[in-house]
Amino acid sequence: MESFALHSTSSSLPPRSSSLRFRPISKSPSFLTPSLTAPYSIPTLRSFSLFPATTTPSRLPSIRVSSSSNLPNRLSPSSEFTDPPPPPPQGAKPLPFIISISIGLIVRFLIPKPPEVTPQSWQLLSIFISTIAGLVLSPLPVGAWAFLGLTVSIVTQTLTFSSAFAAFTNEVIWLIVISFFFARGFVKTGLGDRIATYFVKWWGGSTLGLSYGLTISEALIAPAMPSTTARAGGVFLPIIKSLSLSAGSKPGHPSAKKLGSYLIQSQFQSAGNSSALFLTAAAQNLLCLKLAEELGVIVTSPWLAWFKAASLPALVSLLATPLILYKLYPPEMKDTPDAPALAAKKLEQMGPVTRNEWVMVATMLLAVSLWVFGEALGMASVVAAMIGLSILLLLGVLDWDDCLSEKSAWDTLAWFAVLVGMAGQLTNLGIVTWMSDGVAKSLQSLSLSWPVAFGVLQASYFLIHYLFASQTGHVGALFSAFLAMHLAAGVPGVLAALALAYNTNLFGALTHYSSGQAAVYYGAGYVDLPDVFKIGFIIALVNAIIWGVVGALWWKFLGLY
C-alpha cells in the first residue's frame, strides 16, 4: 500500500470538503530508498534510468480518500488530527535482550566448565556466545550490541583494555573499511553504471542474454569493487528496475514476473559466485585468509592461489545459474528487443568517459595489480588499498566528506573488530582447540575418513547461516572454529580454508536476510518471500553439486589434496 503523510503548513487547516485528493508517491526509478540501501548507504548515488524522456511510465492515477474512509490518520469532523501513535520504545528490545543475556549466563553458570578450560576462557566464551546471540536476535543495532559485549569483557576483567581493542589495528579490517570507499568511488563517478550498460547494449536482445550480460559485467567489476552490497544497490538494482519498468514489469504487482522477478533472482543468485571468484571481490574473503593464518594455514600468493582454485567451479556456476533459473523461474517476457536501444541512448546521454572515471579505472588497475603481485613486491594488501584511496583523495574523485559519510564502513570497523578480537582471544586461550578436538574425537568415533568429515563440516558451516544476517558476522563467529575442526579431522589446511571461504560467499543468497545484497534485492519488491527461500535452497544445492564435483576434481588437479 502506498504511504502518505499530511503536513500542516500553517496554524489553520484548509477548508474541509467531502473528499481530499492526494498525489501518490511516484514509482519512477529513483530506485534506492533508505530501506533498500541498508546496510550500505549511498547518499550521492547517481540515479540510473534507461527511460528516454518520451517513454517515462505514466504516473499512477490519483487516489481519492473520502473523509469517511476508515483510515487510521484521517481528518476528524473537527478538522483536527487524531493523536499520533506512540513512539517506538527506546533502548534495547526487551525480549531479544533477555534471551541474548540468558544464553550467556546459562553457559557461564549452569553448564559445567570442562577441566581443561581455564575460568577466564570459559567466561570469555559465554560473553562471545551472548554477543553472537544478540547479533542474530538484534536487541540493539549490531555495532551497539558488540560494544556492550566488549564493555562487559573489560568490566569483568576477562580481557584487558589493550587486548580487547587490539583487533582495531588489524590490517584486514582496515582493508575492509577502505573497500567501502572504493565502492563509493565506483558509484559516485558512474563507472559501474557505464560498464554494466555496455553489457546491456551488447547482450540485451533477449531476457536470457540480458541476464548473462548483467552477470558477466558484475564478475568483471567484482575484483575492483570489493562490496557485493554496493554492487547490488549502487549499480545493478537501478539498471534492473529501469529495464523492468520499461517493459511494464512493476514491483509488488502481478506483472513483476514478466521480467523483473527473473532478473532480480538471477543477479542475486549469481552474485555469490562473482564474490567467490576473486580474493578482492568481497570484504570477508581477506578476513578468512587472515583467520586461517592465525591457525597456521598459510596460502602463498593468495590472490593468484584464490583465483586459480575458484576459477573453474565459479565460472561453471556463473554460466549455469541464469539458465537454470530461466527453466525453474521463467520470465513471462522472453525477448527484450528494446533493451539494447535504451542502453545505447543512455550511454549517449552519459557522454564520453569523464576524467574521474578514467582516474577510477587507473587507480583500481593499480590497486588490483598490487594485490596480485603484492607478495613479490613485499607490499601488504592494505598498503596497496591505502595508496589507491590516497590517489582518489588527491585527485578529487573522492573527498573526505565522502569517507566520513560512509557510515557502513565505520560501523563495520566497530562491530567487526570486536568479533574478530574476541575470536582471536578465544583461539589464544585454547577454546577453539578444545572445541575442535572434541568434534574430531566424535568424527573419529564414527570412523569417518577426512573427505567425509570435510563434507559434513562444510555442509554444517553452510546451513548454520540460516541463523545469521551477515556474512562477515558468520566469519568472525565461526570460521576459526570450523577450520580448526577440519584440521583436527585431518583435512588439508589450504583446502579447508579456501572451501570455507568460498562457502562464505555462496550462502549469501540463502534468504532475504543472509547478506547485505539480499536485503537490497528483496527490498526492490519483485520477489515474494516464499520464492526467496525456495530458489535460495535450490541454487544452494546446485552450487553444492558444482563446487563439490567440478571443484573437487579441479582442486585435485591443482594439488590441494
Side-chain angles (χ1 to χ4, degrees):
M1 176 182 291
E2 300 288 348
S3 59
F4 300 92
L6 299 177
H7 300 280
S8 175
T9 56
S10 66
S11 59
S12 63
L13 291 168
R16 275 188 297 173
S17 62
S18 60
S19 63
L20 297 174
R21 188 179 298 272
F22 295 87
R23 295 176 63 189
I25 296 173
S26 172
K27 287 190 176 179
S28 60
S30 58
F31 300 135
L32 292 179
T33 65
S35 64
L36 296 184
T37 57
Y40 184 86
S41 59
I42 311 173
T44 58
L45 177 65
R46 289 170 44 152
S47 177
F48 186 100
S49 175
L50 292 176
F51 296 126
T54 59
T55 60
T56 303
S58 60
R59 298 180 61 86
L60 295 173
S62 60
I63 297 177
R64 182 179 296 274
V65 182
S66 170
S67 61
S68 60
S69 298
N70 186 23
L71 293 178
N73 290 324
R74 68 180 185 271
L75 290 175
S76 67
S78 60
S79 299
E80 296 178 355
F81 290 104
T82 59
D83 292 334
Q90 294 182 333
K93 301 172 187 175
L95 184 58
F97 174 79
I98 292 172
I99 295 174
S100 301
I101 293 296
S102 298
I103 291 173
L105 293 175
I106 289 171
V107 172
R108 175 65 180 86
F109 295 106
L110 298 183
I111 297 179
K113 180 185 71 67
E116 59 270 32
V117 174
T118 65
Q120 179 191 9
S121 57
W122 191 251
Q123 185 160 288
L124 180 59
L125 177 63
S126 67
I127 297 172
F128 182 74
I129 291 175
S130 184
T131 303
I132 296 300
L135 297 185
V136 175
L137 300 175
S138 300
L140 285 173
V142 172
W145 186 254
F147 184 79
L148 287 180
L150 189 69
T151 302
V152 171
S153 68
I154 296 174
V155 170
T156 58
Q157 298 183 351
T158 307
L159 296 175
T160 64
F161 185 90
S162 59
S163 62
F165 280 87
F168 282 84
T169 61
N170 188 302
E171 63 184 39
V172 173
I173 294 175
W174 280 99
L175 179 59
I176 292 171
V177 171
I178 295 174
S179 75
F180 281 95
F181 303 149
F182 285 160
R184 176 174 284 267
F186 264 86
V187 174
K188 182 180 179 180
T189 62
L191 179 60
D193 285 347
R194 187 182 295 274
I195 293 172
T197 306
Y198 269 113
F199 276 88
V200 172
K201 177 183 176 182
W202 296 333
W203 292 66
S206 68
T207 301
L208 185 60
L210 184 59
S211 176
Y212 274 114
L214 293 171
T215 297
I216 293 172
S217 63
E218 177 164 12
L220 292 177
I221 293 173
M225 193 175 184
S227 171
T228 316
T229 308
R231 296 197 299 268
V235 177
F236 292 99
L237 179 62
I239 293 175
I240 290 172
K241 289 193 70 173
S242 180
L243 290 166
S244 301
L245 290 171
S246 69
S249 180
K250 303 174 183 178
H253 189 269
S255 63
K257 292 190 176 181
K258 187 176 181 180
L259 181 64
S261 297
Y262 168 73
L263 291 181
I264 289 286
Q265 282 282 25
S266 179
Q267 198 68 21
F268 176 35
Q269 295 297 333
S270 299
N273 285 288
S274 298
S275 297
L277 185 56
F278 302 99
L279 177 61
T280 52
Q284 65 267 12
N285 293 349
L286 286 151
L287 180 65
C288 289
L289 294 194
K290 179 66 176 179
L291 294 175
E293 184 180 328
E294 292 179 357
L295 290 175
V297 179
I298 309 297
V299 179
T300 56
S301 301
W303 203 96
L304 292 175
W306 179 289
F307 175 73
K308 284 196 300 183
S311 56
L312 187 58
L315 290 174
V316 171
S317 288
L318 284 171
L319 293 175
T321 300
L323 182 59
I324 291 172
L325 287 173
Y326 193 76
K327 301 296 183 181
L328 293 177
Y329 195 71
E332 296 173 1
M333 175 181 285
K334 307 298 183 183
D335 297 310
T336 53
D338 295 335
L342 294 176
K345 185 171 183 64
K346 177 60 185 179
L347 289 169
E348 182 181 345
Q349 293 172 352
M350 293 175 74
V353 180
T354 64
R355 167 191 172 273
N356 283 355
E357 288 177 272
W358 282 121
V359 172
M360 196 73 207
V361 169
T363 302
M364 296 316 303
L365 286 176
L366 173 63
V368 171
S369 299
L370 292 176
W371 285 331
V372 173
F373 303 108
E375 186 169 300
L377 298 174
M379 180 178 293
S381 296
V382 68
V383 177
M386 292 171 66
I387 292 172
L389 178 60
S390 298
I391 292 173
L392 297 179
L393 290 170
L394 283 171
L395 297 181
V397 176
L398 291 175
D399 55 46
W400 192 239
D401 283 340
D402 291 324
C403 298
L404 292 177
S405 62
E406 195 59 53
K407 295 181 180 179
S408 50
W410 303 112
D411 184 53
T412 299
L413 170 66
W415 71 264
F416 203 30
V418 173
L419 277 187
V420 172
M422 285 188 180
Q425 291 298 321
L426 287 173
T427 301
N428 294 337
L429 294 172
I431 283 288
V432 174
T433 302
W434 166 73
M435 293 175 62
S436 62
D437 288 344
V439 173
K441 290 178 181 177
S442 299
L443 294 174
Q444 290 171 2
S445 66
L446 298 174
S447 300
L448 299 181
S449 61
W450 77 256
V452 176
F454 172 79
V456 171
L457 291 171
Q458 291 287 333
S460 300
Y461 180 77
F462 191 98
L463 293 174
I464 286 174
H465 194 66
Y466 276 109
L467 302 177
F468 280 88
S470 165
Q471 291 165 287
T472 48
H474 190 142
V475 171
L478 297 177
F479 184 89
S480 295
F482 269 84
L483 179 56
M485 295 175 198
H486 278 77
L487 298 178
V491 181
V494 173
L495 172 65
L498 290 178
L500 287 171
Y502 297 148
N503 268 328
T504 299
N505 293 287
L506 299 178
F507 58 45
L510 269 179
T511 68
H512 64 299
Y513 58 83
S514 56
S515 60
Q517 67 269 22
V520 169
Y521 284 128
Y522 175 69
Y526 277 97
V527 184
D528 295 329
L529 191 57
D531 289 333
V532 175
F533 279 86
K534 180 178 70 175
I535 297 299
F537 184 76
I538 291 173
I539 298 301
L541 291 178
V542 171
N543 283 326
I545 293 171
I546 293 174
W547 285 80
V549 176
V550 177
L553 295 174
W554 180 237
W555 297 334
K556 180 67 174 177
F557 174 77
L558 293 177
L560 293 183
Y561 66 96

